[in-house]
Amino acid sequence: MDRLHGFPQPFPDESLYSLAVRYHRLLSNDSYRRTSHELFGVYSRTCGSILPCCLGALSQRLASAYSVEQLIDRFTLLPLYEPFLNDTKSRAARIAMAGDDGTGLKMSLGITASGFLKHASFRYCERCVEEDIQHCGSTYWHRIHQATGTCICPLHGEVLCGTTFPNGADWRCMLFPAEVAGSPVMQVPCRPAAGELSEMQLWGLEHPAAVRNLLVGDFLWHRLDEMGFLKAGRVRLQTLKSFLTPRLLCSPRGNEFQELNCSWEWVLGVVRPRRTVVQPLKFYFLCWLLEAGLEHLKSFLPQADIYGGEATEGSNTGVPAEESEIEARRQAFSSSKNVKCHEKPGYQWLYRHDREWLTQYVSAHPFIRRMTGLVDWAARDEALARNLLIARDQILFTQGKPQKVTRAALNRRVAHSQDFLRMPDKFPISTLLMSDMLESDHDHQVRKVRWAVRQYLLPERSALSVVYRFAGIRLSHVTEEEVLDILSVAKELRLTSGSP
């Protein structure tokens, strides 16, 4: 196997694709195909990926100056994803990147299913370009800039630019950042939020072991507990939804966040994943939604099992908390409106760090379950009966075409209608009264005919079809004699009153 006699010296946080571009320019190769065969021994279609393959062949061509593990850890984004993988998936990913076949790698890591790939682009920071030329003599592609959800440079706080390759080409043009026109990947609003996320992702990329400790220690569950979103080991969904909804509206405007800010339900999949790989962006974005910044991630020490309500035996590290923090925790705990002490925010923290004060507080504020008075069903039955009579009169004297007195129409106009329907044995008077008040089809049509005769001044010789049409009757439940009687009575009333 041919050895490489000229390979660029890596710059800080440089991606493998950037090294390939610099090698391509250094040797003045005429095509990416030639560069790929020199570096990897094959025509690799993953060199421009955040998870490139063929690294085993590259390591051998470099005379083991860099092992496969070093190439992966220093020049790819796998360290950003690895804390969220189990050992099996992690080993499989590294084996795939060492070999020459990366088919299904992004799918196995959940990247394809996340929907983030369609928003991917080669990104750069204009400030970084200027400083790289000044200090390194050349610009290069920074690894963290290519991470999903990184819209702000974590070093300079500037909005990144997405590269558009000329003439519809792709990364095989082997270009440096800013050699072609780029456009901002997000609007100016929400820059602080996007900046915090970029800083957290950079820290996660550089400290995968610390991120693993966050996941093993259930950082998100501890955070939910501190903010009062847990009750008896379960998430208080409605309370959490009410808190997250306005926060999502203030989320960054980058394209990747369109997959997240339209709903909050993905949060549950991050808090308690079920055999799925959590995407780093979702984890850090949820940290921001829960008002946890980079300092919270760095200072987290898993010390308690929040499911059982007590600190885990032997979990106390012996590091005393500062007096100012203890006083702030006490104040937040005391001012909480929750009646039960173990549901107040910070209960577990105080249990670990200030148990004596917590014990005294709980003793002085015992939870007493209040017994509600028994319901006077007889009085409620009488009140409901009166309301039913009022509702019946409202229906009968409603202006316009007569409405039928039905069970549903009555229930819509009275209080405790649900109790009445579910517990009819508690309302014997009302049940009997309603049975008597319900109107039959015949009685309802008689009222409709009388209304139509009065409303439209129908003469005594009107055809039945005319009466039925004005009354809105399709299937008749009244007899011809009843209709003629109503017409006759209406005529006598008009003669008596002197109406035409």
Side-chain angles (χ1 to χ4, degrees), residues 131-153:
E131 294 186 3
D132 293 341
I133 294 175
Q134 181 179 358
H135 298 111
C136 302
S138 171
T139 182
Y140 62 94
W141 297 101
H142 288 249
R143 185 173 50 154
I144 187 58
H145 292 169
Q146 318 312 318
T148 300
T150 301
C151 301
I152 299 289
C153 177

Side-chain angles (χ1 to χ4, degrees), residues 58-67 70-71 74:
L58 176 60
S59 176
Q60 293 181 17
R61 280 172 163 73
L62 292 173
S64 300
Y66 295 99
S67 65
Q70 289 175 326
L71 291 175
R74 290 187 57 180

Side-chain angles (χ1 to χ4, degrees), residues 298-313:
K298 291 181 178 180
S299 61
F300 175 70
L301 294 175
Q303 297 175 338
D305 176 13
I306 66 175
Y307 301 105
E310 295 185 0
T312 304
E313 183 177 357

Side-chain angles (χ1 to χ4, degrees), residues 7 40 51 56 76 86 102 128 150 157 163 208 212 214 251 350 378 380 402:
F7 192 74
F40 310 111
L51 303 174
T76 77
N86 56 36
C128 285
T150 301
T163 300
R212 171 70 70 176
L214 292 177
S251 61
L350 290 169
R380 183 173 291 187

Side-chain angles (χ1 to χ4, degrees), residues 83 203 207-219 283 297 300-302:
W203 176 79
H207 303 86
V211 179
R212 171 70 70 176
N213 290 335
L214 292 177
L215 301 176
V216 173
D218 278 327
F219 170 78
F283 174 80
L297 304 185
F300 175 70
L301 294 175

Side-chain angles (χ1 to χ4, degrees), residues 272-500:
R272 272 292 173 259
R274 295 292 184 262
R275 298 181 181 180
T276 58
V277 179
V278 175
Q279 297 302 297
L281 173 59
K282 290 185 177 181
F283 174 80
Y284 296 114
F285 186 38
L286 180 55
C287 290
W288 178 82
L289 290 175
L290 296 178
E291 300 178 351
L294 181 57
E295 294 303 320
H296 292 87
L297 304 185
K298 291 181 178 180
S299 61
F300 175 70
L301 294 175
Q303 297 175 338
D305 176 13
I306 66 175
Y307 301 105
E310 295 185 0
T312 304
E313 183 177 357
S315 62
N316 195 338
T317 61
V319 180
E322 296 182 359
E323 290 296 330
S324 59
E325 183 177 6
I326 292 178
E327 186 60 32
R329 297 276 186 171
R330 289 178 178 178
Q331 180 63 28
F333 185 84
S334 304
S335 60
S336 174
K337 296 181 180 180
N338 290 331
V339 178
K340 299 180 181 178
C341 290
H342 68 274
E343 294 181 1
K344 293 178 179 289
Y347 177 87
Q348 299 298 334
W349 192 93
L350 290 169
Y351 188 90
R352 297 192 302 269
H353 300 281
D354 197 15
R355 190 175 303 181
E356 183 177 355
W357 179 88
L358 179 63
T359 302
Q360 296 177 357
Y361 182 93
V362 173
S363 300
H365 300 80
F367 173 70
I368 302 176
R369 189 178 299 276
R370 301 182 183 278
M371 296 297 295
T372 57
L374 298 178
V375 177
D376 189 347
W377 292 108
R380 183 173 291 187
D381 188 16
E382 294 178 1
L384 179 59
R386 291 193 295 269
N387 291 336
L388 286 173
L389 291 172
I390 296 174
R392 190 268 314 271
D393 293 340
Q394 291 175 348
I395 296 173
L396 292 178
F397 297 104
T398 299
Q399 296 294 327
K401 184 180 292 187
Q403 300 179 14
K404 188 177 181 180
V405 181
T406 63
R407 184 183 299 270
L410 291 170
N411 284 332
R412 283 194 295 266
R413 287 174 168 80
V414 298
H416 304 293
S417 60
Q418 297 301 322
D419 294 341
F420 175 54
L421 294 175
R422 295 170 182 170
M423 298 178 290
D425 55 317
K426 300 287 188 180
F427 300 89
I429 300 175
S430 300
T431 301
L432 182 60
L433 180 61
M434 175 173 282
S435 299
D436 294 337
M437 287 192 302
L438 296 181
E439 193 174 24
S440 65
D441 292 335
H442 171 269
D443 295 342
H444 182 223
Q445 288 190 1
V446 169
R447 287 202 302 120
K448 292 173 72 175
V449 170
R450 290 173 177 167
W451 170 81
V453 171
R454 293 194 308 269
Q455 179 74 17
Y456 299 103
L457 301 177
L458 298 178
E460 185 178 4
R461 297 184 185 84
S462 298
L464 292 180
S465 60
V466 175
V467 178
Y468 289 161
R469 177 163 57 86
F470 282 108
I473 297 175
R474 294 184 178 181
L475 181 62
S476 176
H477 291 278
V478 295
T479 64
E480 182 178 348
E481 290 76 12
E482 289 176 311
V483 176
L484 294 176
D485 289 343
I486 294 173
L487 289 170
S488 177
V489 171
K491 178 183 177 181
E492 294 178 1
L493 289 176
R494 285 197 291 270
L495 292 175
T496 303
S497 61
S499 301

